[in-house]
């Protein structure tokens, strides 16, 4: 059952992901910890930053929320490095910072605009692909006061990225306004003997997911255990109602064996009667002749 | 595959239907052994009672107070105080109470000497932290009550010896006053408290011992200042050193008047010695100073006049004074001379005359003498005899009497740092056959006895004989490898820098070796042993080599001190070689590659994040080069809350060309916000763990695939506020976050926050699950959680047709750079105990079901079946689930008294539990260590693959013989009958 649920939810998510234009995003979705952002196939090749998703936020909603929770726009940058080179800007994340009435701050509406590769960078990336080296990215560990305590680094073998275009997938683990970690890699698998493959299109299709911590379920407390005394007894009775077979198989099997034995014996009876008379007649040489009917008897 | 594993599962669940593993009374000691230790002795007091058994009371660095039998060294009783309850002083009051002062002088306890019961305890508070002193004056009475004088926390207390009541107290609140000595001259009612103030002023307080009234306060200032300790040379004279360590100050405060004398050391000793320190001792009239090279004994004659009596370059140890008559004091002196030690007992006022001079042969592996305690007795000829208790460098304790070692205790084993195991040598042909034939009669006799026992025909004597035979079975303590892999060597590294090899059969010490590399030397001032690694485990093609272990240590407490490696042969205990490294050792990574002599490749990471490859051979280098790109590791900076992943980059770009040194680079980092999370536990899987199958068959013939990766790291963080003691925070401001992190890519595979929880967190990781233990502030109970992680990318391989047609991805290599498709299942349960350690059983092939081994607060080891910590437990499991072995959900984990692995014993001060697989799949070897050692064999699903030890072969033999006889008899009978019938 669970499988089905998971699959259904997965399909739902997928369908949600593949039609971003249809999905209406309201600020109230904040209850949901995960925020999916996705760009389908890249449409533009302009060197300008590409907004990956059109902002679905409407001004009335923002106003409505502003009296309770104030929110502001923030931006933080993504840097990248080829192999062991220094980091250089590669794109910008922009998000809405939500300040809750209880003082907590969370990010929502993460959008990502990726700078496309310059010719130099393309060259560098090609080198990475050839040497099967790492493509590294980094994010500030605090989005309000970058870079925070330290940069969050993540890296992937460059050969994992090219597909049709360069496919990348970010999972950003957040704790309030702090970035804990970023999982960076290809959205799908990256089978081990990594083959050299140049992308058909030198543009990125980026998928970003923002993740906050899940709450652990509490340990179950069985307070009703004492009350449920009779209940438990009732359960004890239930297993007693086993099937006839389950109860008496140990008697039934020997019985069956005896019956079968009896049947075979009964079947052999005529045969023995037939063969039993032969030695009495004192014609052992005719045994071969006699065997014919006896086997015929058996065949019956 | 799936079917096979399914059958195996069924087999195990049916074989382990009763999860209780327990022993019968007569099985105790059969496969287990228990050894009791006390640790390195800090202070020893001899019980001076004339009657009764002679005993010595000791306090140790493991915070143990113990009463030892002076004749045999056995423990009469002992008490382990808490880890933060360090013992400052012990003494014996009224001849029948052991008085201990502990916890920085704030707790005073009295114990009954004969049986060790606590008589009273009192807590002593004071205005400020200070040195603490415990005095038990013999003739200071107060209303017929003996008085204890305790100075602690800047306050002087007089305490009743009978009930621990504070009779009076006096504060010494002066800001800079540092107490150095508290003196109670025998026969007077005065107490002197002397000390330094502001490091150049000498202060003396004279106090009436009857009521604590301050009688006199004198002070004198010394412009040169003081350094180090003071030595008391008489009840009214102390000797101190000035701040340069070159001038001796003799300060006497007779009748409350301070007078002093300064003597430069160079006046006494011709050559210059450099800065000296005073060796603390309490011999009247004599004190000793020590410089780097020499030790000088100096006598005080009359008014501050000093005279050198002896100068020695040997390592030396001096005991405290022992008064043997009204005006005579004796002390013991121990000097080293190659393989012997010389013990001399002298009178305090007569340096040249020796009361006793003995030489004792001493095992070099014990190192130097660290401490000496002297005791006297009356010989049969009514003269004085002396015995001394010595504490050696390896923390062992020996009693010397009449030029012999009467007994010795290997108390270094109380402080084990690391443990590894080694196989024993293979039995050669032609060794044991004759022995068996020789013992054939014995063997038969033994089995007949056993048979009698089984048939309940044995008399009590027979039963005793059977029991002793079983316990003494020579089979288990042989020095060769056995078929089942039960006999092994446990190689343990102790804090003293000594390596011991213990036999798993009976726990005896096979060899011990004080590591030369861990000896204090010029280059390495305070070496510390860190870890043990299996360096060479010969099998296959290197059978003739002896296995060896690698001991990693470093010179000094800081992590950037240079490292030292030593290689020790585990059969002989010889140190094969040792390497002083020019770099520090921050991390040691045993790589999964070995060279042609089965030496394991190790990568050592230093403080500058350079990786060094060992062994430094070209073969190792070529192996390493092949796998160069596939080596990843991680580092945890728990102070900063950062976890980083690293990979190798290229050869070192230093000025010195070193082809075994590699630069590294950071691949990923996880930065925990310092204001909300603090790392408290990181756990990975054991490197040598074997997993039998990836598939797990669940109810309804369904298959789940375990996510089995060697590169998973479990991290637990708590709120920084909540990292203190339990109960120091409210549930609202305390939480615990559990992470599963892939250490190659830095991906967080699972992250879950538990609110209202607090550490300490103990965790264990095995196969695809992790179990962690913590405190739940809301429920006021301890809790244990389990996380299981399953691989979804292989989940579609359930279709048989796919398997048949080969359209599955089971054989394709896994790359961690692929996006993982995992699901996790978790559940929490309440648990009664708090834990000291947690481990999991491990078996040779990983088929046997697992048990968790929990080191409880009561210093016992409890085995808990992993099935109780199954996240798939539900309140009403279906029939199929029940068949699979799922236990109905309960909110707390059961503690079954029979499943205590340590049965009735306690492993005092339990610190770690180590499990080692035996060759027999059903069995695992468990070694628990703390102050005590305990070893046993465990069979989590019972010994389904072997006959039990008490299996009666004789009964089997007799049955077979009887059957054969019966066959013959019935054959003859039937033949006869046939014949008769034919004749009819």
């Amino acid at each position: 059952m669970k499988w089905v649920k998971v699959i259904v939810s997965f399909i739902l998510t997928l369908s949600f992901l593949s039609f971003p234009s249809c999905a209406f995003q309201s600020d109230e979705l904040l209850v949901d910890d995960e925020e999916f952002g996705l760009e389908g196939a890249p449409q533009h090749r302009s060197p300008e930053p590409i907004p990956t998703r059109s902002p679905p936020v409407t001004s009335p909603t923002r106003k409505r929320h502003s009296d309770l929770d104030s929110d502001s726009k923030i931006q933080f940058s993504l840097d990248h490095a080829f192999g062991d080179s220094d980091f250089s800007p590669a794109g910008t994340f922009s998000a809405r910072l939500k300040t809750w009435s209880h003082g907590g701050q969370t990010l929502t509406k993460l959008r990502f605009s990726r700078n496309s590769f310059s010719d130099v960078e393309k060259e560098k990336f090609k080198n990475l692909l050839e040497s099967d080296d790492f493509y590294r990215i980094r994010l500030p560990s605090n989005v309000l006061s970058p870079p925070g305590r330290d940069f969050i680094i993540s890296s992937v073998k460059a050969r994992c990225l090219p597909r049709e275009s360069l496919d990348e997938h970010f999972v950003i683990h957040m704790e309030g306004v702090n970035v804990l970690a970023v999982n960076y890699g290809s959205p799908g698998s990256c089978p081990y003997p990594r083959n050299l493959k140049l992308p058909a299109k030198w543009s990125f299709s980026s998928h970003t997911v923002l993740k906050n911590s899940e709450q652990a379920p509490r340990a179950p407390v069985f307070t009703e255990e004492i009350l449920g005394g009779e209940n438990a007894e009732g359960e004890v009775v239930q297993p007693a109602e086993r099937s006839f077979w389950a109860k008496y198989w140990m008697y039934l099997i020997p019985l069956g064996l005896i019956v079968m034995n009896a049947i075979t014996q009964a079947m052999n009876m005529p045969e023995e009667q037939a063969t039993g008379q032969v030695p009495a007649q004192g014609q052992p040489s005719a045994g071969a002749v006699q065997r014919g009917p006896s086997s015929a008897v058996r065949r019956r | 595959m799936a079917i096979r594993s399914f059958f195996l599962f069924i087999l195990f669940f049916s074989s382990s239907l009763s999860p209780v593993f327990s022993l019968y009374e007569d099985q105790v000691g059969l496969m287990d052994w228990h050894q009791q230790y006390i640790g390195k002795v800090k202070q020893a007091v001899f019980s001076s009672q004339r009657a009764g058994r002679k005993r010595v009371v000791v306090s140790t660095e493991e915070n143990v107070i113990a009463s030892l039998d002076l004749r045999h060294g056995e423990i009469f009783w002992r008490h382990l105080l808490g880890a933060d309850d360090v013992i400052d002083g012990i003494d014996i009051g009224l001849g029948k109470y052991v008085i201990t002062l502990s916890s920085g002088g704030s707790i005073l306890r009295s114990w009954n000497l004969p049986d060790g019961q606590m008589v009273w305890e009192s807590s002593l508070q004071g205005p400020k932290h200070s040195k603490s002193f415990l005095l038990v004056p013999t003739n200071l009475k107060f209303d017929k009550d003996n008085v204890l004088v305790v100075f602690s926390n800047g306050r002087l207390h007089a305490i009743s010896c009978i009930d621990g009541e504070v009779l009076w107290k006096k504060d010494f609140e002066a800001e800079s006053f540092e107490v150095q000595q508290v003196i109670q001259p025998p026969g007077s009612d005065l107490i002197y408290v002397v000390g330094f103030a502001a490091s150049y002023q000498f202060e003396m307080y004279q106090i009436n011992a009857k009521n604590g009234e301050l009688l006199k306060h004198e002070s004198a200032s010394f412009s040169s200042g003081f350094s180090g300790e003071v030595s008391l040379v008489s009840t009214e004279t102390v000797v101190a050193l000035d701040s340069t360590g070159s001038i001796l100050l003799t300060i006497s405060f007779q009748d409350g008047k301070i007078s002093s004398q300064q003597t430069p050391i160079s006046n006494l000793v011709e050559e210059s010695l450099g800065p000296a320190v005073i060796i603390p001792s309490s011999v009247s009239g004599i004190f000793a100073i020590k410089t780097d090279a020499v030790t000088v004994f100096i006598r005080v004659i009359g008014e501050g006049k000093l005279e050198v009596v002896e100068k020695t370059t040997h390592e030396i140890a001096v005991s405290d004074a022992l008064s043997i008559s009204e005006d005579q004091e004796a002390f013991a002196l121990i000097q080293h001379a190659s393989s012997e030690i010389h013990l001399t007992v002298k009178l305090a006022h007569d340096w040249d005359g020796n009361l006793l001079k003995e030489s004792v042969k001493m095992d070099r592996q014990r190192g130097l003498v660290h401490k000496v305690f002297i005791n006297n007795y009356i010989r049969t000829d009514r003269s004085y005899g002396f015995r001394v208790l010595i504490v050696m460098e390896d923390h062992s304790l020996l009693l010397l009497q009449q030029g012999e070692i009467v007994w010795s205790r290997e108390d270094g084993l109380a402080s084990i740092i690391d443990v590894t195991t080694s196989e024993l040598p293979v039995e050669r042909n032609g060794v044991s056959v004759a022995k068996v034939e020789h013992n054939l009669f014995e063997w038969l006799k033994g089995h007949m006895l056993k048979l009698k026992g089984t048939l309940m025909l044995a008399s009590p004597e027979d039963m005793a004989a059977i029991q002793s035979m079983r316990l003494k079975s020579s089979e288990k303590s042989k020095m060769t490898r056995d078929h089942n892999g039960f006999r092994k060597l446990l190689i343990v590294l102790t804090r003293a820098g000594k390596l011991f090899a213990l036999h798993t059969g009976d726990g005896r010490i096979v060899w011990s070796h004080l590591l030369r590399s861990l000896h204090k030397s010029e280059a390495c001032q305070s070496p510390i042993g860190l870890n043990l690694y299996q360096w060479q485990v010969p099998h296959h093609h290197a059978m003739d080599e002896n296995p060896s272990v690698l001991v990693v240590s470093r010179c000094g407490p800081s992590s950037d001190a240079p490292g030292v490696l030593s290689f020790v042969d585990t059969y002989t205990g010889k140190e094969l070689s040792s390497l002083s490294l020019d770099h520090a050792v921050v991390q040691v990574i045993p790589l999964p590659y070995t060279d042609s002599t089965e030496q394991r490749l190790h990568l050592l990471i230093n403080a500058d994040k350079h990786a060094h490859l060992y062994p430094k051979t070209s073969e190792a280098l070529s192996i390493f080069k092949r796998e160069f790109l596939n080596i990843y590791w991680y580092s945890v900076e728990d102070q900063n809350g950062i976890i980083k992943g690293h990979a190798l980059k290229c050869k070192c770009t230093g000025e010195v060309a070193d082809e075994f040194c590699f630069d590294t680079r950071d691949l990923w980092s996880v930065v925990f916000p310092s204001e909300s999370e603090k790392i408290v536990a990181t756990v990975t899987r054991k490197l040598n763990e074997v997993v039998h199958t990836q598939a797990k068959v669940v109810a309804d013939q369904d298959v789940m695939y375990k996510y089995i990766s060697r590169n998973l790291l479990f991290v637990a963080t708590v709120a920084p506020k909540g990292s203190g003691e339990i109960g120091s925070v409210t549930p609202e401001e305390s939480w615990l976050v559990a992470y599963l992190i892939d250490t190659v890519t830095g991906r967080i595979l699972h992250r879950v926050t538990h609110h209202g929880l607090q550490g300490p967190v103990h965790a264990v990781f095995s196969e695809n699950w992790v179990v962690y233990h913590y405190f739940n502030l809301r429920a006021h109970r301890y809790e244990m959680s389990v996380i299981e992680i399953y691989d979804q990318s292989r989940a579609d391989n359930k279709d048989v047709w796919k398997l048949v047609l080969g359209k599955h991805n089971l054989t394709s290599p896994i790359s961690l750079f692929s996006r993982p498709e995992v699901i996790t299942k978790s559940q929490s349960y309440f648990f009664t105990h708090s834990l000291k350690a947690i481990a999991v059983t491990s078996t040779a092939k990983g088929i046997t079901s697992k048990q968790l081994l929990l080191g409880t607060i009561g210093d016992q080891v409890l085995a808990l079946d992993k099935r109780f910590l199954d996240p798939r437990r539900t309140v009403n499991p279906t029939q199929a689930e029940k068949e699979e072995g799922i236990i109905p959900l309960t909110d707390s984990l059961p503690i079954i008294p029979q499943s205590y692995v340590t049965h009735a014993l306690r492993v005092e001060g339990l610190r770690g539990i180590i499990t080692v697989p035996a060759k027999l799949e059903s069995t695992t070897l468990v070694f628990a260590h703390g102050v005590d050692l305990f070893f046993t064999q465990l069979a989590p699903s019972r010994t389904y693959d072997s006959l039990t030890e008490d299996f009666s072969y004789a009964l089997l033999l007799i049955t077979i013989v009887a059957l054969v006889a019966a066959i013959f008899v019935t054959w003859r009978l039937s033949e006869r009958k046939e014949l008769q019938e034919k004749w009819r």
Side-chain angles (χ1 to χ4, degrees), chain B residues 641-896:
Chain B
I642 297 176
I643 299 177
K644 279 182 177 163
H646 312 274
L648 294 162
K649 194 158 77 175
C650 55
K651 291 243 170 71
C652 275
T653 50
E655 57 272 23
V656 192
D658 181 0
E659 53 178 346
F660 297 98
C661 166
F662 300 91
D663 274 342
T664 64
R665 57 175 165 198
D666 294 356
L667 285 188
W668 54 265
S669 60
V670 175
V671 181
F672 296 106
S674 55
E675 65 274 14
S676 64
E677 290 182 40
K678 183 174 181 294
I679 301 173
V680 286
T682 53
V683 186
T684 53
R685 275 179 62 192
K686 257 203 256 174
L687 273 176
N688 53 0
E689 193 188 50
V690 185
V691 180
H692 174 63
T693 170
Q694 199 197 352
K696 179 172 179 173
V697 181
V698 296
D700 314 328
Q701 314 288 306
D702 208 349
V703 184
M704 289 174 87
Y705 290 90
K706 300 173 189 168
Y707 186 78
I708 295 166
S709 164
R710 293 216 179 276
N711 304 303
L712 272 186
L713 171 71
F714 169 79
V715 181
T717 64
V718 295
K721 266 188 183 173
S723 57
E725 267 180 54
I726 287 167
S728 56
V729 281
T730 58
E732 283 72 34
E733 52 189 9
S734 176
W735 53 85
L736 184 148
V737 194
Y739 296 87
L740 285 177
I741 298 176
D742 184 302
T743 58
V744 171
T745 59
R747 280 178 207 274
I748 295 180
L749 297 178
H750 181 65
R751 175 185 175 202
V752 67
T753 310
H754 300 262
H755 279 281
L757 299 189
Q758 205 178 4
V761 176
H762 295 274
V764 64
F765 205 141
S766 172
E767 292 196 356
N768 68 326
W769 51 263
V770 58
V771 169
Y772 50 106
H773 177 274
Y774 47 81
F775 188 75
N776 187 333
L777 287 167
R778 285 215 174 87
H780 310 289
R781 286 209 256 182
Y782 284 97
E783 229 176 72
M784 272 164 98
S785 273
V786 58
I787 301 174
E788 289 189 358
I789 179 161
Y790 292 96
D791 193 352
Q792 285 295 85
S793 64
R794 307 200 157 204
D796 352 315
N797 295 319
K798 281 178 233 163
D799 195 343
V800 179
W801 283 111
K802 267 191 179 172
L803 291 173
V804 170
L805 297 171
K807 282 187 179 175
H808 58 84
N809 57 357
L810 289 176
T811 49
S812 62
I814 301 171
S815 170
L816 290 168
F817 290 109
S818 305
R819 193 174 154 208
E821 296 168 48
V822 294
I823 54 160
T824 53
K825 288 170 180 286
S826 62
Q827 201 150 32
S828 306
Y829 303 94
F830 292 120
F831 187 68
T832 315
H833 287 304
S834 66
L835 293 192
K836 283 187 167 179
I838 184 167
V840 66
T841 58
S842 58
T843 52
K845 303 266 186 304
I847 302 172
T848 309
S849 62
K850 304 239 170 202
Q851 276 184 337
L852 289 167
L853 300 174
L854 310 169
T856 63
I857 197 74
D859 291 325
Q860 292 205 306
V861 179
L862 178 73
L864 182 72
D865 215 287
K866 167 66 178 58
R867 283 185 299 153
F868 286 110
L869 278 151
D870 191 331
R872 291 170 50 240
R873 281 174 71 182
T874 48
V875 181
N876 288 314
T878 61
Q879 193 60 37
E881 281 177 333
K882 270 185 195 163
E883 274 166 24
E884 191 199 324
I886 286 186
I887 303 161
L889 183 67
T890 49
D891 58 349
S892 55
L893 296 169
I895 292 173
I896 304 154

Side-chain angles (χ1 to χ4, degrees), chain B residues 398-570:
Chain B
L398 298 96
L399 184 80
L400 307 184
Q401 189 177 328
Q402 295 156 357
E404 269 181 75
I405 299 172
V406 183
W407 51 260
S408 63
R409 292 181 58 86
E410 291 290 350
D411 278 309
L413 286 171
S415 42
I416 289 175
I417 298 175
D418 203 359
V419 185
T420 185
T421 53
S422 162
E423 293 288 344
L424 283 160
V426 184
E427 197 161 353
R428 301 274 174 233
N429 288 336
V431 177
S432 62
V433 179
K435 214 175 158 190
V436 169
E437 280 169 358
H438 176 73
N439 285 336
L440 193 65
F441 178 68
E442 296 258 307
W443 183 84
L444 257 181
K445 207 172 97 184
H447 274 293
M448 281 313 289
L449 267 176
K450 265 188 201 171
L451 183 65
K452 267 169 112 180
T454 333
L455 301 175
M456 297 184 184
L457 295 170
S459 61
E461 293 95 72
D462 286 348
M463 290 302 273
I466 294 168
Q467 185 64 10
S468 69
M469 210 165 57
R470 290 167 73 186
L471 291 182
K472 266 189 257 139
S473 129
S474 59
E475 191 66 16
K476 68 176 187 183
S477 53
K478 261 194 202 167
M479 276 305 295
T480 50
R481 215 173 281 189
D482 65 332
H483 183 66
N484 289 337
F486 292 162
R487 291 199 296 262
K488 281 183 202 298
L489 286 178
L490 289 168
I491 314 289
V492 300
L493 176 67
T494 65
R495 197 170 296 149
K498 198 173 187 180
L499 215 54
F500 289 89
L502 306 176
H503 196 289
T504 55
D506 51 3
R508 70 174 190 276
I509 295 167
V510 178
W511 53 259
S512 61
H513 181 80
L514 192 67
L515 292 171
R516 246 179 307 138
S517 55
L518 282 172
H519 228 62
K520 203 168 142 183
S521 66
E522 294 274 313
C524 196
Q525 276 302 321
S526 54
I528 304 166
L530 292 179
N531 285 106
L532 272 176
Y533 296 92
Q534 290 188 332
W535 178 252
Q536 196 176 13
V537 186
H539 60 283
H540 298 323
H541 43 272
M543 278 309 257
D544 297 332
E545 305 261 343
N546 286 1
S548 54
V549 289
L550 164 69
V551 185
V552 180
S553 45
R554 69 167 171 241
C555 298
S558 73
S559 66
D560 51 356
V564 182
L565 303 184
S566 28
F567 305 93
V568 181
D569 186 326
T570 61

Side-chain angles (χ1 to χ4, degrees), chain B residues 113-343:
Chain B
L113 181 60
D115 58 3
Q117 298 292 314
M118 201 200 304
V119 183
W120 49 258
E121 177 184 84
S122 50
S123 146
L124 309 175
Q125 304 304 325
K128 62 169 188 179
H129 187 74
S130 77
K131 274 191 188 177
S132 41
F133 295 91
L134 169 69
L135 296 185
V136 182
T138 44
N139 45 9
L140 187 67
K141 298 258 176 168
F142 190 85
D143 287 349
K144 292 181 192 161
D145 185 358
N146 264 44
V147 173
L148 308 172
V149 179
V150 176
F151 190 97
S152 69
N153 294 322
R155 184 178 282 179
L156 186 69
H157 309 259
I159 292 157
S160 158
C161 196
I162 304 288
D163 54 6
E165 199 186 328
V166 177
L167 303 173
W168 52 260
K169 54 194 174 198
K170 168 93 185 79
D171 281 1
F172 292 84
E173 281 179 60
E175 256 315 290
S176 58
F177 179 70
E178 273 180 54
V179 67
Q180 290 296 335
Q181 283 289 346
V182 178
I183 307 145
Q184 203 279 319
S188 76
D189 281 347
L190 299 172
I191 295 170
Y192 292 103
V193 176
V194 298
F196 306 141
S199 77
Y200 58 86
Q201 194 148 342
F202 181 81
E203 304 260 343
M204 189 278 293
Y205 296 87
Q206 196 184 42
I207 286 156
N208 186 347
K210 293 277 178 207
N211 50 18
E213 191 188 333
L214 180 65
L215 299 176
K216 245 175 215 169
H217 174 210
E218 294 281 327
S219 64
S221 61
F222 293 86
S223 53
S224 52
F226 301 100
S227 72
E229 307 233 352
V230 299
S231 182
L232 194 66
V233 291
S234 78
T235 51
E236 288 168 335
T237 315
V238 294
V239 176
L241 273 168
D242 77 333
S243 54
T244 60
S246 59
I247 298 170
L248 284 166
L249 304 165
T250 318
I251 306 159
S252 87
F253 40 93
Q254 222 147 20
D255 307 324
K257 292 265 178 337
I258 296 177
S259 61
S260 71
Q261 195 116 27
Q262 301 197 2
T263 321
I265 294 177
S266 51
N267 286 10
L268 299 168
V269 190
E270 283 74 42
E271 68 263 54
S272 67
L273 295 170
V277 286
I278 288 181
I279 299 177
S281 88
S282 69
V283 185
S284 67
I286 287 176
F287 66 95
I289 56 172
K290 190 177 187 301
T291 63
D292 287 340
V294 293
T295 312
V296 185
F297 287 90
I298 299 167
R299 179 160 34 184
V300 185
I301 339 162
E303 274 297 301
K305 266 200 172 164
L306 303 179
E307 181 195 46
V308 174
V309 288
E310 190 163 332
K311 200 163 72 178
T312 176
T313 52
H314 289 293
E315 284 291 339
I316 210 157
V318 196
S319 75
D320 279 355
L322 169 83
S323 74
I324 48 174
S325 62
E326 282 292 304
D327 53 349
Q328 280 189 319
E329 274 189 349
F331 66 97
L333 196 69
I334 285 186
Q335 277 172 293
H336 279 269
S338 63
S339 66
E340 286 191 331
I341 56 166
H342 299 304
L343 163 72

Side-chain angles (χ1 to χ4, degrees), chain A residues 242-287:
Chain A
R242 283 177 296 176
S243 70
F244 180 76
W245 175 249
K247 263 194 233 172
Y248 303 113
W249 62 271
M250 64 286 269
Y251 308 113
L252 288 176
I253 288 175
L255 198 77
L257 283 173
I258 290 165
V259 168
M260 273 168 71
N261 204 15
I263 290 168
T264 34
Q265 287 227 336
M267 283 166 84
N268 285 348
M269 274 302 223
E271 183 184 352
E272 264 174 40
Q273 277 169 358
T275 50
Q277 288 159 353
V278 177
Q281 285 169 351
Q283 290 171 330
S285 56

Side-chain angles (χ1 to χ4, degrees), chain A residues 15 24 90 127:
Chain A
S15 56
F24 171 71
N127 287 340

Side-chain angles (χ1 to χ4, degrees), chain A residues 2-3 6 10 83-84 131-134 136-137 141-142 149-157 160 169 171-194 209 211-223 225 235 239, chain B residues 629-630 632 639-642 644 647 649 665-677 702-704 737 739 745-755 776 778 781 783 792 795 798 813-815 817-819 823 825-830 875-876 882 889-892:
Chain A
K2 243 181 183 175
W3 289 109
V6 169
F10 189 66
D84 297 313
S131 59
D132 192 19
D133 210 344
F134 286 102
R136 306 199 289 161
I137 56 143
S141 67
N142 188 313
R149 282 202 300 143
D150 203 344
F151 282 104
I152 308 289
I153 305 169
S154 188
S155 37
V156 71
K157 288 273 183 187
C160 287
H169 185 266
V171 182
I172 302 174
H173 291 266
M174 301 288 300
E175 174 67 50
V177 292
N178 293 300
V179 181
L180 269 177
V182 54
N183 304 350
Y184 179 67
S186 68
S189 69
C190 179
Y192 172 57
R194 286 181 286 270
V209 176
K211 258 194 181 163
N212 278 310
S213 186
E214 291 167 30
Q215 291 287 323
R218 288 206 196 163
V221 185
F222 293 167
T223 40
E225 213 159 16
E235 276 172 57
Chain B
L629 289 173
N630 288 331
Y632 300 89
Q639 292 305 315
N640 293 335
I642 297 176
K644 279 182 177 163
K649 194 158 77 175
R665 57 175 165 198
D666 294 356
L667 285 188
W668 54 265
S669 60
V670 175
V671 181
F672 296 106
S674 55
E675 65 274 14
S676 64
E677 290 182 40
D702 208 349
V703 184
M704 289 174 87
V737 194
Y739 296 87
T745 59
R747 280 178 207 274
I748 295 180
L749 297 178
H750 181 65
R751 175 185 175 202
V752 67
T753 310
H754 300 262
H755 279 281
N776 187 333
R778 285 215 174 87
R781 286 209 256 182
E783 229 176 72
Q792 285 295 85
K798 281 178 233 163
I814 301 171
S815 170
F817 290 109
S818 305
R819 193 174 154 208
I823 54 160
K825 288 170 180 286
S826 62
Q827 201 150 32
S828 306
Y829 303 94
F830 292 120
V875 181
N876 288 314
K882 270 185 195 163
L889 183 67
T890 49
D891 58 349
S892 55

